[in-house]
Amino acid sequence: MSETMTLVGRNLSPYARRVAIWCALQGRELERLDVAATDPSQADIMKSYHPGIRVPVLVLADGTRLIESMPICDWLDDSMPDMRLVPATGLARRDCLQRIALAHSTVEKVVSLVYEKNRRPEEFHWKDWQTRVIGQIEGGLAALEEITPEAGFFGGDKPDGSDVAAVCTYQQAEVTNPFLVEGRYPKLTALAARAMKLPAFADTYPG
Ligand SMILES: N[C@@H](CCC(=O)N[C@@H](CS)C(=O)NCC(=O)O)C(=O)O
């Protein structure tokens, strides 16, 4: 059995990347298993980790398997309380979790657009649905832009969990469908640039 934890999922999954960055910011050692959930040739190995053939999965040192980015990150905080990326209680916790929820809800649509537009054969494109999804992404990114700090991070002088989520969301859009962000969200662009000075973000960039 491995002494360290293993993260199943690539950085091209914004959910897996969020877990990877979280672990790095907490100074945890992490092994990576770069499996693509949607690659049919990797379906068997994926199924051995997650019955629904999805990433991320975090395999703990004792073999326990955790699924879904939000509860995984909750456990990461709970098991390393001195290195929490979400405040333990109160309004600060509520607001940080709400920022994460906004970024999470937005990136779900960014991923959805990849399946709808980048992967689905052109003849099966449903343009009205794509337009709806793009509108949802724009709404989410605009709302994130509005609350993004001009300097530093949501977490102050170092990133908290909502910085991790916001930057993963912004960069997922940038990498998969750049037209979504080009020249449109200056505060998010600057936040991502500040984050990229940290190895946790730079070493996991999905491009
Ligand atoms: N709610 C999940 C979302 C995970 C997710 O959608 N992962 C994608 C990869 S980015 C996946 O596994 N896609 C394959 C599928 O859903 O069939 C989380 O937060 O971890």
Side-chain angles (χ1 to χ4, degrees), residues 25-65:
L25 290 175
Q26 291 185 322
R28 293 176 187 265
E29 255 187 71
L30 188 65
E31 289 176 6
R32 301 291 302 266
L33 187 60
D34 284 343
V35 184
T38 49
D39 178 352
S41 73
Q42 300 189 308
D44 284 347
I45 180 163
M46 267 312 307
K47 203 163 187 180
S48 72
Y49 286 102
H50 188 315
I53 318 182
R54 305 188 82 193
V55 298
V57 179
L58 186 66
V59 186
L60 307 185
D62 70 359
T64 303
R65 286 163 191 188

mmCIF file of all heavy atoms in Angstrom, residues 25-65:
data_model
loop_
_atom_site.group_PDB
_atom_site.id
_atom_site.type_symbol
_atom_site.label_atom_id
_atom_site.label_comp_id
_atom_site.label_asym_id
_atom_site.label_seq_id
_atom_site.Cartn_x
_atom_site.Cartn_y
_atom_site.Cartn_z
ATOM 1 N N LEU A 25 -1.009 23.384 -1.651
ATOM 2 C CA LEU A 25 -1.002 24.551 -0.756
ATOM 3 C C LEU A 25 -0.917 24.123 0.704
ATOM 4 O O LEU A 25 -0.417 24.864 1.554
ATOM 5 C CB LEU A 25 -2.252 25.413 -0.987
ATOM 6 C CG LEU A 25 -2.298 26.170 -2.322
ATOM 7 C CD1 LEU A 25 -3.641 26.881 -2.486
ATOM 8 C CD2 LEU A 25 -1.157 27.188 -2.445
ATOM 9 N N GLN A 26 -1.404 22.937 1.000
ATOM 10 C CA GLN A 26 -1.303 22.425 2.374
ATOM 11 C C GLN A 26 0.029 21.719 2.632
ATOM 12 O O GLN A 26 0.273 21.256 3.747
ATOM 13 C CB GLN A 26 -2.447 21.443 2.659
ATOM 14 C CG GLN A 26 -3.826 22.097 2.722
ATOM 15 C CD GLN A 26 -4.896 21.101 3.130
ATOM 16 O OE1 GLN A 26 -4.868 19.934 2.724
ATOM 17 N NE2 GLN A 26 -5.849 21.549 3.933
ATOM 18 N N GLY A 27 0.847 21.624 1.589
ATOM 19 C CA GLY A 27 2.162 20.984 1.748
ATOM 20 C C GLY A 27 2.093 19.474 1.810
ATOM 21 O O GLY A 27 2.985 18.827 2.343
ATOM 22 N N ARG A 28 1.012 18.915 1.251
ATOM 23 C CA ARG A 28 0.871 17.453 1.283
ATOM 24 C C ARG A 28 1.605 16.813 0.110
ATOM 25 O O ARG A 28 1.623 17.375 -0.985
ATOM 26 C CB ARG A 28 -0.613 17.059 1.176
ATOM 27 C CG ARG A 28 -1.465 17.442 2.356
ATOM 28 C CD ARG A 28 -2.893 17.056 2.016
ATOM 29 N NE ARG A 28 -3.864 17.506 2.995
ATOM 30 C CZ ARG A 28 -4.307 16.761 4.007
ATOM 31 N NH1 ARG A 28 -3.867 15.542 4.184
ATOM 32 N NH2 ARG A 28 -5.227 17.252 4.834
ATOM 33 N N GLU A 29 2.111 15.623 0.353
ATOM 34 C CA GLU A 29 2.660 14.825 -0.744
ATOM 35 C C GLU A 29 1.521 14.150 -1.462
ATOM 36 O O GLU A 29 0.558 13.696 -0.826
ATOM 37 C CB GLU A 29 3.575 13.742 -0.174
ATOM 38 C CG GLU A 29 5.055 14.029 -0.361
ATOM 39 C CD GLU A 29 5.881 12.850 0.065
ATOM 40 O OE1 GLU A 29 5.860 11.836 -0.630
ATOM 41 O OE2 GLU A 29 6.513 12.982 1.132
ATOM 42 N N LEU A 30 1.655 14.063 -2.783
ATOM 43 C CA LEU A 30 0.544 13.494 -3.558
ATOM 44 C C LEU A 30 1.105 12.744 -4.754
ATOM 45 O O LEU A 30 1.922 13.285 -5.496
ATOM 46 C CB LEU A 30 -0.349 14.640 -4.050
ATOM 47 C CG LEU A 30 -1.660 14.270 -4.726
ATOM 48 C CD1 LEU A 30 -2.603 13.573 -3.753
ATOM 49 C CD2 LEU A 30 -2.325 15.530 -5.285
ATOM 50 N N GLU A 31 0.632 11.507 -4.925
ATOM 51 C CA GLU A 31 0.936 10.809 -6.176
ATOM 52 C C GLU A 31 -0.211 11.063 -7.130
ATOM 53 O O GLU A 31 -1.342 11.296 -6.695
ATOM 54 C CB GLU A 31 1.121 9.313 -5.922
ATOM 55 C CG GLU A 31 2.423 9.027 -5.178
ATOM 56 C CD GLU A 31 2.602 7.566 -4.821
ATOM 57 O OE1 GLU A 31 1.789 6.721 -5.235
ATOM 58 O OE2 GLU A 31 3.564 7.287 -4.079
ATOM 59 N N ARG A 32 0.091 11.011 -8.416
ATOM 60 C CA ARG A 32 -0.951 11.294 -9.405
ATOM 61 C C ARG A 32 -1.152 10.083 -10.313
ATOM 62 O O ARG A 32 -0.194 9.421 -10.702
ATOM 63 C CB ARG A 32 -0.544 12.495 -10.286
ATOM 64 C CG ARG A 32 -0.295 13.797 -9.567
ATOM 65 C CD ARG A 32 -1.563 14.404 -8.988
ATOM 66 N NE ARG A 32 -2.607 14.680 -9.949
ATOM 67 C CZ ARG A 32 -2.801 15.838 -10.559
ATOM 68 N NH1 ARG A 32 -1.993 16.862 -10.295
ATOM 69 N NH2 ARG A 32 -3.799 16.019 -11.412
ATOM 70 N N LEU A 33 -2.399 9.804 -10.634
ATOM 71 C CA LEU A 33 -2.735 8.812 -11.654
ATOM 72 C C LEU A 33 -3.531 9.560 -12.717
ATOM 73 O O LEU A 33 -4.701 9.909 -12.513
ATOM 74 C CB LEU A 33 -3.561 7.678 -11.029
ATOM 75 C CG LEU A 33 -3.858 6.489 -11.930
ATOM 76 C CD1 LEU A 33 -2.577 5.819 -12.411
ATOM 77 C CD2 LEU A 33 -4.706 5.464 -11.179
ATOM 78 N N ASP A 34 -2.850 9.859 -13.832
ATOM 79 C CA ASP A 34 -3.444 10.717 -14.867
ATOM 80 C C ASP A 34 -4.380 9.926 -15.774
ATOM 81 O O ASP A 34 -3.996 9.520 -16.871
ATOM 82 C CB ASP A 34 -2.334 11.377 -15.697
ATOM 83 C CG ASP A 34 -1.685 12.516 -14.939
ATOM 84 O OD1 ASP A 34 -2.269 12.991 -13.956
ATOM 85 O OD2 ASP A 34 -0.582 12.921 -15.341
ATOM 86 N N VAL A 35 -5.576 9.701 -15.298
ATOM 87 C CA VAL A 35 -6.556 8.946 -16.080
ATOM 88 C C VAL A 35 -7.646 9.901 -16.538
ATOM 89 O O VAL A 35 -8.089 10.772 -15.780
ATOM 90 C CB VAL A 35 -7.194 7.828 -15.222
ATOM 91 C CG1 VAL A 35 -8.146 6.993 -16.059
ATOM 92 C CG2 VAL A 35 -6.120 6.945 -14.611
ATOM 93 N N ALA A 36 -8.048 9.737 -17.812
ATOM 94 C CA ALA A 36 -9.144 10.552 -18.348
ATOM 95 C C ALA A 36 -10.447 9.792 -18.183
ATOM 96 O O ALA A 36 -10.593 8.675 -18.709
ATOM 97 C CB ALA A 36 -8.896 10.866 -19.817
ATOM 98 N N ALA A 37 -11.394 10.373 -17.474
ATOM 99 C CA ALA A 37 -12.648 9.659 -17.176
ATOM 100 C C ALA A 37 -13.411 9.280 -18.440
ATOM 101 O O ALA A 37 -14.113 8.274 -18.462
ATOM 102 C CB ALA A 37 -13.528 10.530 -16.276
ATOM 103 N N THR A 38 -13.265 10.070 -19.490
ATOM 104 C CA THR A 38 -14.084 9.835 -20.691
ATOM 105 C C THR A 38 -13.377 9.000 -21.751
ATOM 106 O O THR A 38 -13.944 8.753 -22.814
ATOM 107 C CB THR A 38 -14.487 11.184 -21.323
ATOM 108 O OG1 THR A 38 -13.313 11.993 -21.452
ATOM 109 C CG2 THR A 38 -15.514 11.901 -20.462
ATOM 110 N N ASP A 39 -12.159 8.549 -21.456
ATOM 111 C CA ASP A 39 -11.426 7.736 -22.438
ATOM 112 C C ASP A 39 -11.890 6.290 -22.313
ATOM 113 O O ASP A 39 -11.636 5.641 -21.295
ATOM 114 C CB ASP A 39 -9.924 7.868 -22.156
ATOM 115 C CG ASP A 39 -9.084 7.016 -23.099
ATOM 116 O OD1 ASP A 39 -9.658 6.216 -23.869
ATOM 117 O OD2 ASP A 39 -7.849 7.151 -23.059
ATOM 118 N N PRO A 40 -12.579 5.736 -23.341
ATOM 119 C CA PRO A 40 -13.111 4.375 -23.227
ATOM 120 C C PRO A 40 -12.026 3.343 -22.918
ATOM 121 O O PRO A 40 -12.273 2.367 -22.221
ATOM 122 C CB PRO A 40 -13.735 4.108 -24.614
ATOM 123 C CG PRO A 40 -13.905 5.448 -25.245
ATOM 124 C CD PRO A 40 -12.884 6.361 -24.644
ATOM 125 N N SER A 41 -10.801 3.588 -23.396
ATOM 126 C CA SER A 41 -9.741 2.600 -23.162
ATOM 127 C C SER A 41 -9.310 2.595 -21.688
ATOM 128 O O SER A 41 -8.594 1.687 -21.258
ATOM 129 C CB SER A 41 -8.543 2.873 -24.073
ATOM 130 O OG SER A 41 -7.852 4.019 -23.630
ATOM 131 N N GLN A 42 -9.724 3.613 -20.932
ATOM 132 C CA GLN A 42 -9.354 3.663 -19.510
ATOM 133 C C GLN A 42 -10.562 3.432 -18.595
ATOM 134 O O GLN A 42 -10.463 3.604 -17.383
ATOM 135 C CB GLN A 42 -8.707 5.021 -19.201
ATOM 136 C CG GLN A 42 -7.434 5.243 -20.047
ATOM 137 C CD GLN A 42 -6.651 6.461 -19.619
ATOM 138 O OE1 GLN A 42 -7.192 7.542 -19.503
ATOM 139 N NE2 GLN A 42 -5.358 6.293 -19.408
ATOM 140 N N ALA A 43 -11.684 3.013 -19.227
ATOM 141 C CA ALA A 43 -12.921 2.867 -18.454
ATOM 142 C C ALA A 43 -12.792 1.810 -17.356
ATOM 143 O O ALA A 43 -13.289 2.005 -16.237
ATOM 144 C CB ALA A 43 -14.088 2.532 -19.376
ATOM 145 N N ASP A 44 -12.083 0.707 -17.654
ATOM 146 C CA ASP A 44 -11.986 -0.368 -16.659
ATOM 147 C C ASP A 44 -11.211 0.089 -15.435
ATOM 148 O O ASP A 44 -11.650 -0.123 -14.298
ATOM 149 C CB ASP A 44 -11.319 -1.609 -17.268
ATOM 150 C CG ASP A 44 -12.294 -2.351 -18.165
ATOM 151 O OD1 ASP A 44 -13.505 -2.036 -18.082
ATOM 152 O OD2 ASP A 44 -11.852 -3.208 -18.942
ATOM 153 N N ILE A 45 -10.079 0.750 -15.688
ATOM 154 C CA ILE A 45 -9.286 1.214 -14.533
ATOM 155 C C ILE A 45 -10.065 2.287 -13.774
ATOM 156 O O ILE A 45 -10.093 2.300 -12.542
ATOM 157 C CB ILE A 45 -7.877 1.699 -14.958
ATOM 158 C CG1 ILE A 45 -7.107 2.167 -13.732
ATOM 159 C CG2 ILE A 45 -7.871 2.802 -15.968
ATOM 160 C CD1 ILE A 45 -5.622 2.269 -13.945
ATOM 161 N N MET A 46 -10.759 3.153 -14.502
ATOM 162 C CA MET A 46 -11.570 4.184 -13.835
ATOM 163 C C MET A 46 -12.644 3.553 -12.967
ATOM 164 O O MET A 46 -12.893 3.982 -11.845
ATOM 165 C CB MET A 46 -12.235 5.096 -14.879
ATOM 166 C CG MET A 46 -11.466 6.349 -15.239
ATOM 167 S SD MET A 46 -10.867 7.257 -13.809
ATOM 168 C CE MET A 46 -12.319 7.486 -12.827
ATOM 169 N N LYS A 47 -13.290 2.513 -13.520
ATOM 170 C CA LYS A 47 -14.387 1.868 -12.780
ATOM 171 C C LYS A 47 -13.874 1.221 -11.500
ATOM 172 O O LYS A 47 -14.605 1.115 -10.506
ATOM 173 C CB LYS A 47 -15.072 0.833 -13.666
ATOM 174 C CG LYS A 47 -16.472 0.538 -13.227
ATOM 175 C CD LYS A 47 -17.286 -0.149 -14.285
ATOM 176 C CE LYS A 47 -18.721 -0.246 -13.802
ATOM 177 N NZ LYS A 47 -19.587 -0.884 -14.744
ATOM 178 N N SER A 48 -12.606 0.819 -11.523
ATOM 179 C CA SER A 48 -12.058 0.197 -10.308
ATOM 180 C C SER A 48 -11.878 1.236 -9.191
ATOM 181 O O SER A 48 -11.737 0.886 -8.021
ATOM 182 C CB SER A 48 -10.739 -0.508 -10.612
ATOM 183 O OG SER A 48 -9.707 0.428 -10.838
ATOM 184 N N TYR A 49 -11.879 2.516 -9.558
ATOM 185 C CA TYR A 49 -11.765 3.571 -8.546
ATOM 186 C C TYR A 49 -13.103 4.227 -8.222
ATOM 187 O O TYR A 49 -13.342 4.669 -7.109
ATOM 188 C CB TYR A 49 -10.780 4.662 -9.022
ATOM 189 C CG TYR A 49 -9.343 4.224 -8.954
ATOM 190 C CD1 TYR A 49 -8.666 3.836 -10.105
ATOM 191 C CD2 TYR A 49 -8.673 4.176 -7.739
ATOM 192 C CE1 TYR A 49 -7.348 3.418 -10.048
ATOM 193 C CE2 TYR A 49 -7.358 3.756 -7.670
ATOM 194 C CZ TYR A 49 -6.694 3.383 -8.825
ATOM 195 O OH TYR A 49 -5.401 2.971 -8.757
ATOM 196 N N HIS A 50 -13.965 4.343 -9.241
ATOM 197 C CA HIS A 50 -15.223 5.092 -9.066
ATOM 198 C C HIS A 50 -16.316 4.359 -9.855
ATOM 199 O O HIS A 50 -16.192 4.211 -11.068
ATOM 200 C CB HIS A 50 -15.037 6.510 -9.617
ATOM 201 C CG HIS A 50 -16.180 7.454 -9.333
ATOM 202 N ND1 HIS A 50 -17.503 7.116 -9.500
ATOM 203 C CD2 HIS A 50 -16.174 8.739 -8.904
ATOM 204 C CE1 HIS A 50 -18.269 8.150 -9.185
ATOM 205 N NE2 HIS A 50 -17.486 9.140 -8.808
ATOM 206 N N PRO A 51 -17.373 3.905 -9.168
ATOM 207 C CA PRO A 51 -18.398 3.122 -9.878
ATOM 208 C C PRO A 51 -19.044 3.902 -11.021
ATOM 209 O O PRO A 51 -19.537 3.307 -11.985
ATOM 210 C CB PRO A 51 -19.424 2.795 -8.779
ATOM 211 C CG PRO A 51 -19.168 3.790 -7.688
ATOM 212 C CD PRO A 51 -17.709 4.131 -7.757
ATOM 213 N N GLY A 52 -19.027 5.214 -10.912
ATOM 214 C CA GLY A 52 -19.640 6.052 -11.950
ATOM 215 C C GLY A 52 -18.647 6.499 -13.008
ATOM 216 O O GLY A 52 -18.993 7.310 -13.878
ATOM 217 N N ILE A 53 -17.412 5.987 -12.950
ATOM 218 C CA ILE A 53 -16.383 6.286 -13.965
ATOM 219 C C ILE A 53 -16.169 7.795 -14.068
ATOM 220 O O ILE A 53 -16.256 8.396 -15.141
ATOM 221 C CB ILE A 53 -16.741 5.646 -15.345
ATOM 222 C CG1 ILE A 53 -17.273 4.234 -15.155
ATOM 223 C CG2 ILE A 53 -15.537 5.654 -16.276
ATOM 224 C CD1 ILE A 53 -17.603 3.497 -16.440
ATOM 225 N N ARG A 54 -15.874 8.411 -12.935
ATOM 226 C CA ARG A 54 -15.680 9.858 -12.917
ATOM 227 C C ARG A 54 -14.437 10.215 -12.103
ATOM 228 O O ARG A 54 -14.008 9.441 -11.241
ATOM 229 C CB ARG A 54 -16.912 10.556 -12.298
ATOM 230 C CG ARG A 54 -18.208 10.203 -12.982
ATOM 231 C CD ARG A 54 -19.347 11.042 -12.473
ATOM 232 N NE ARG A 54 -19.372 12.341 -13.113
ATOM 233 C CZ ARG A 54 -20.114 13.368 -12.691
ATOM 234 N NH1 ARG A 54 -20.862 13.235 -11.617
ATOM 235 N NH2 ARG A 54 -20.098 14.512 -13.330
ATOM 236 N N VAL A 55 -13.892 11.376 -12.366
ATOM 237 C CA VAL A 55 -12.797 11.909 -11.555
ATOM 238 C C VAL A 55 -13.272 13.224 -10.941
ATOM 239 O O VAL A 55 -14.183 13.858 -11.474
ATOM 240 C CB VAL A 55 -11.519 12.139 -12.411
ATOM 241 C CG1 VAL A 55 -11.026 10.847 -12.982
ATOM 242 C CG2 VAL A 55 -11.731 13.180 -13.508
ATOM 243 N N PRO A 56 -12.655 13.664 -9.832
ATOM 244 C CA PRO A 56 -11.516 13.070 -9.148
ATOM 245 C C PRO A 56 -11.905 11.997 -8.141
ATOM 246 O O PRO A 56 -13.022 11.974 -7.633
ATOM 247 C CB PRO A 56 -10.928 14.278 -8.407
ATOM 248 C CG PRO A 56 -12.129 15.124 -8.064
ATOM 249 C CD PRO A 56 -13.067 14.957 -9.214
ATOM 250 N N VAL A 57 -10.892 11.124 -7.875
ATOM 251 C CA VAL A 57 -10.962 10.215 -6.731
ATOM 252 C C VAL A 57 -9.664 10.431 -5.956
ATOM 253 O O VAL A 57 -8.591 10.492 -6.567
ATOM 254 C CB VAL A 57 -11.044 8.737 -7.183
ATOM 255 C CG1 VAL A 57 -11.101 7.814 -5.964
ATOM 256 C CG2 VAL A 57 -12.251 8.504 -8.094
ATOM 257 N N LEU A 58 -9.780 10.597 -4.659
ATOM 258 C CA LEU A 58 -8.583 10.697 -3.825
ATOM 259 C C LEU A 58 -8.473 9.411 -3.015
ATOM 260 O O LEU A 58 -9.366 9.078 -2.227
ATOM 261 C CB LEU A 58 -8.659 11.912 -2.886
ATOM 262 C CG LEU A 58 -7.386 12.167 -2.080
ATOM 263 C CD1 LEU A 58 -6.225 12.574 -2.991
ATOM 264 C CD2 LEU A 58 -7.612 13.247 -1.017
ATOM 265 N N VAL A 59 -7.386 8.673 -3.276
ATOM 266 C CA VAL A 59 -7.150 7.424 -2.542
ATOM 267 C C VAL A 59 -6.223 7.746 -1.372
ATOM 268 O O VAL A 59 -5.091 8.195 -1.573
ATOM 269 C CB VAL A 59 -6.510 6.356 -3.454
ATOM 270 C CG1 VAL A 59 -6.408 5.028 -2.710
ATOM 271 C CG2 VAL A 59 -7.308 6.190 -4.754
ATOM 272 N N LEU A 60 -6.727 7.568 -0.177
ATOM 273 C CA LEU A 60 -5.933 7.881 1.020
ATOM 274 C C LEU A 60 -4.884 6.792 1.269
ATOM 275 O O LEU A 60 -4.946 5.707 0.664
ATOM 276 C CB LEU A 60 -6.858 8.019 2.243
ATOM 277 C CG LEU A 60 -8.030 8.999 2.094
ATOM 278 C CD1 LEU A 60 -8.773 9.130 3.421
ATOM 279 C CD2 LEU A 60 -7.554 10.365 1.604
ATOM 280 N N ALA A 61 -3.941 7.114 2.149
ATOM 281 C CA ALA A 61 -2.848 6.162 2.412
ATOM 282 C C ALA A 61 -3.362 4.814 2.911
ATOM 283 O O ALA A 61 -2.767 3.774 2.649
ATOM 284 C CB ALA A 61 -1.875 6.769 3.414
ATOM 285 N N ASP A 62 -4.519 4.819 3.600
ATOM 286 C CA ASP A 62 -5.059 3.535 4.097
ATOM 287 C C ASP A 62 -5.975 2.861 3.072
ATOM 288 O O ASP A 62 -6.620 1.866 3.369
ATOM 289 C CB ASP A 62 -5.808 3.749 5.421
ATOM 290 C CG ASP A 62 -7.121 4.532 5.239
ATOM 291 O OD1 ASP A 62 -7.445 4.920 4.081
ATOM 292 O OD2 ASP A 62 -7.814 4.756 6.243
ATOM 293 N N GLY A 63 -6.033 3.414 1.861
ATOM 294 C CA GLY A 63 -6.822 2.795 0.802
ATOM 295 C C GLY A 63 -8.236 3.341 0.658
ATOM 296 O O GLY A 63 -8.927 3.053 -0.324
ATOM 297 N N THR A 64 -8.680 4.137 1.615
ATOM 298 C CA THR A 64 -10.025 4.729 1.528
ATOM 299 C C THR A 64 -10.125 5.608 0.277
ATOM 300 O O THR A 64 -9.204 6.362 -0.032
ATOM 301 C CB THR A 64 -10.305 5.612 2.767
ATOM 302 O OG1 THR A 64 -10.140 4.815 3.933
ATOM 303 C CG2 THR A 64 -11.711 6.193 2.732
ATOM 304 N N ARG A 65 -11.251 5.494 -0.427
ATOM 305 C CA ARG A 65 -11.444 6.286 -1.635
ATOM 306 C C ARG A 65 -12.472 7.378 -1.402
ATOM 307 O O ARG A 65 -13.598 7.097 -0.991
ATOM 308 C CB ARG A 65 -11.920 5.393 -2.775
ATOM 309 C CG ARG A 65 -10.773 4.559 -3.266
ATOM 310 C CD ARG A 65 -11.189 3.399 -4.088
ATOM 311 N NE ARG A 65 -9.997 2.555 -4.244
ATOM 312 C CZ ARG A 65 -9.908 1.527 -5.025
ATOM 313 N NH1 ARG A 65 -10.943 1.181 -5.750
ATOM 314 N NH2 ARG A 65 -8.803 0.831 -5.101
#
